[in-house]
Amino acid sequence: MEKRYGIIGKSLPHSYSKIIHEHLFNKKYDIIELNEKEFDVFIKHKSFSGVNITIPYKQKIIPYLDYIDEHAKKIGAVNTVLNKNGKLYGYNTDYLGFLDLIKVNNIQIKNKNVLILGHGGTSNTCKYVVNKLHAKRIDVVSREKIEGTISYEEAYKLNDVQIIINTTPIGMYPHNFESPIDISHFDNLETVIDVIYNPLRTKLLVDAKKRNIKYCGGLYMLISQAVYASMYFQNKQLDLSIVDEIYTDIRFSRENIVLIGMPGSGKSTIGPVLAKYYNCNYVDVDDLIEKQTGLFVKEFIDFKGIDEFRKYESNVIKDLSKKQYTVISTGGGIILNEQNIDNLKQNGIIIFVDRDLKYLKPTDNRPLTNDYEKLKKRYEERYGLYTKYADFIVKNNNDIEDTIKEIIKIFNDYEKNINN
């Protein structure tokens, strides 16, 4: 029998599993999308050596198994299956990945009130872990009426919730702009965990970040559980330091660099250089708008007005924010709509290219800054917003090569830090 490995799920456009497992294991690893009928046929045929299981099959796989390990049995969910001479053995490595995620982010669970969103296999896994870590109270939220769960309406009444864990797929690519819950209802909230890993920061996590609440996404958990699963596939121990190594590599290959700042601040010069350095894509928002509409920005504003331009610009930003490993140079006014920033922060870090007013020059092709008085007014109106929304600020008053080097250092240091 061919030694086939892969991941089974219903919809997997977001999956990084192939990248991770082929890094860990010198075997081909397939992305296997199956509907429920196909799932039944595939598992019964047993034409694989080892597979990972994801939504919605982590619980549905159990009746097919000849053996299920103790942790998976207690959790009621399986994410790793081995075929040993026609017998199927089921394991749960998600709980180890989630435990590692909690540890690496220094999240204290003991004596905390925890709210878990969702009631599926991953929810059971997270509940199992936080129970072992002695949470004070655990409430599981479901949109369906299921025994042992509460409704979202009931959840909003629990003002003493300190930790929220999202195990639903709400907010996962390509539905990046959805959130399973409004965290503004929870005055005592300390930490938000979202097991989703694509985008890097879901809307839920961006909302937490805006409120200065500790947050973490699911990428580290994904990689950690994959390493444990690969130990089963390879039947050998692996050095767990490889989790950090793969995490850094994937973060580097997924994060966007978003440049904000005034017209003439140097964004469109810096952006292509950064893209070449990182061998990634480059997009200038104004250039993209001009290409899509067939109009120069000045013509667009003259013909349709600034409000229509801002609407069009926001739609372009929304699409771009789903991209990964891209340098994005934005128009000077994108910070006037906070939603633009929220969207861009899902997969990117925001760098304000700060050039002092005395070094900026009016340009004829930008009607809002085509003379000095307009330029000065825009600068004074926007400067506070640039600094408010930026993750990092880089001065660009002197040698632009030094500015580029500083941005590279900032980005590299940022991507090596697990807790961001």
Short mmCIF file of all heavy atoms in Angstrom, two decimals, residues 158-161 183-190 213:
data_model
loop_
_atom_site.label_atom_id
_atom_site.label_comp_id
_atom_site.label_asym_id
_atom_site.label_seq_id
_atom_site.Cartn_x
_atom_site.Cartn_y
_atom_site.Cartn_z
N LEU A 158 -22.58 37.27 31.50
CA LEU A 158 -21.50 36.83 32.38
C LEU A 158 -20.38 37.87 32.39
O LEU A 158 -19.36 37.75 31.71
CB LEU A 158 -20.95 35.47 31.92
CG LEU A 158 -21.96 34.32 31.87
CD1 LEU A 158 -21.30 33.08 31.30
CD2 LEU A 158 -22.51 34.05 33.28
N ASN A 159 -20.58 38.90 33.16
CA ASN A 159 -19.63 40.02 33.14
C ASN A 159 -18.31 39.69 33.83
O ASN A 159 -17.36 40.47 33.77
CB ASN A 159 -20.25 41.26 33.80
CG ASN A 159 -19.49 42.52 33.46
OD1 ASN A 159 -19.09 42.73 32.31
ND2 ASN A 159 -19.25 43.35 34.45
N ASP A 160 -18.25 38.54 34.50
CA ASP A 160 -17.01 38.19 35.20
C ASP A 160 -16.07 37.31 34.35
O ASP A 160 -15.06 36.81 34.85
CB ASP A 160 -17.32 37.48 36.52
CG ASP A 160 -18.12 36.19 36.33
OD1 ASP A 160 -18.61 35.95 35.21
OD2 ASP A 160 -18.29 35.44 37.31
N VAL A 161 -16.39 37.13 33.08
CA VAL A 161 -15.53 36.33 32.19
C VAL A 161 -14.16 37.00 32.07
O VAL A 161 -14.06 38.20 31.80
CB VAL A 161 -16.17 36.17 30.80
CG1 VAL A 161 -15.17 35.61 29.80
CG2 VAL A 161 -17.39 35.27 30.88
N ILE A 183 -16.75 41.55 22.21
CA ILE A 183 -16.04 41.50 23.50
C ILE A 183 -16.23 42.76 24.33
O ILE A 183 -15.82 42.79 25.50
CB ILE A 183 -14.54 41.21 23.32
CG1 ILE A 183 -13.87 42.31 22.49
CG2 ILE A 183 -14.32 39.84 22.70
CD1 ILE A 183 -12.35 42.16 22.42
N SER A 184 -16.86 43.78 23.77
CA SER A 184 -17.07 45.01 24.55
C SER A 184 -18.03 44.79 25.71
O SER A 184 -18.12 45.62 26.62
CB SER A 184 -17.59 46.13 23.65
OG SER A 184 -18.89 45.84 23.18
N HIS A 185 -18.74 43.66 25.71
CA HIS A 185 -19.69 43.35 26.79
C HIS A 185 -18.98 42.85 28.06
O HIS A 185 -19.62 42.74 29.11
CB HIS A 185 -20.68 42.27 26.33
CG HIS A 185 -21.66 42.75 25.31
ND1 HIS A 185 -22.94 43.16 25.62
CD2 HIS A 185 -21.54 42.90 23.97
CE1 HIS A 185 -23.57 43.53 24.52
NE2 HIS A 185 -22.74 43.38 23.51
N PHE A 186 -17.71 42.53 27.96
CA PHE A 186 -17.03 41.85 29.07
C PHE A 186 -16.00 42.78 29.72
O PHE A 186 -14.87 42.92 29.24
CB PHE A 186 -16.38 40.56 28.57
CG PHE A 186 -17.36 39.62 27.91
CD1 PHE A 186 -17.50 39.58 26.52
CD2 PHE A 186 -18.16 38.79 28.67
CE1 PHE A 186 -18.40 38.74 25.92
CE2 PHE A 186 -19.08 37.93 28.07
CZ PHE A 186 -19.20 37.90 26.69
N ASP A 187 -16.41 43.40 30.80
CA ASP A 187 -15.58 44.43 31.44
C ASP A 187 -14.34 43.86 32.13
O ASP A 187 -13.38 44.60 32.36
CB ASP A 187 -16.40 45.20 32.48
CG ASP A 187 -17.53 45.99 31.85
OD1 ASP A 187 -17.40 46.36 30.67
OD2 ASP A 187 -18.56 46.22 32.53
N ASN A 188 -14.36 42.59 32.47
CA ASN A 188 -13.24 41.98 33.20
C ASN A 188 -12.38 41.07 32.33
O ASN A 188 -11.58 40.30 32.85
CB ASN A 188 -13.77 41.19 34.40
CG ASN A 188 -14.41 42.10 35.44
OD1 ASN A 188 -13.73 42.87 36.09
ND2 ASN A 188 -15.73 42.04 35.56
N LEU A 189 -12.55 41.21 31.03
CA LEU A 189 -11.83 40.34 30.10
C LEU A 189 -10.33 40.65 30.12
O LEU A 189 -9.92 41.80 29.99
CB LEU A 189 -12.38 40.53 28.69
CG LEU A 189 -11.90 39.57 27.61
CD1 LEU A 189 -12.22 38.13 27.95
CD2 LEU A 189 -12.54 39.94 26.26
N GLU A 190 -9.51 39.60 30.28
CA GLU A 190 -8.05 39.75 30.36
C GLU A 190 -7.34 39.19 29.13
O GLU A 190 -6.30 39.70 28.73
CB GLU A 190 -7.52 39.01 31.60
CG GLU A 190 -8.06 39.54 32.92
CD GLU A 190 -7.65 38.65 34.08
OE1 GLU A 190 -6.91 37.66 33.87
OE2 GLU A 190 -8.07 38.95 35.21
N ILE A 213 -6.20 44.25 25.35
CA ILE A 213 -6.41 42.96 26.00
C ILE A 213 -5.43 41.96 25.40
O ILE A 213 -5.22 41.93 24.19
CB ILE A 213 -7.86 42.47 25.77
CG1 ILE A 213 -8.85 43.42 26.46
CG2 ILE A 213 -8.06 41.04 26.25
CD1 ILE A 213 -10.30 43.19 26.07
#
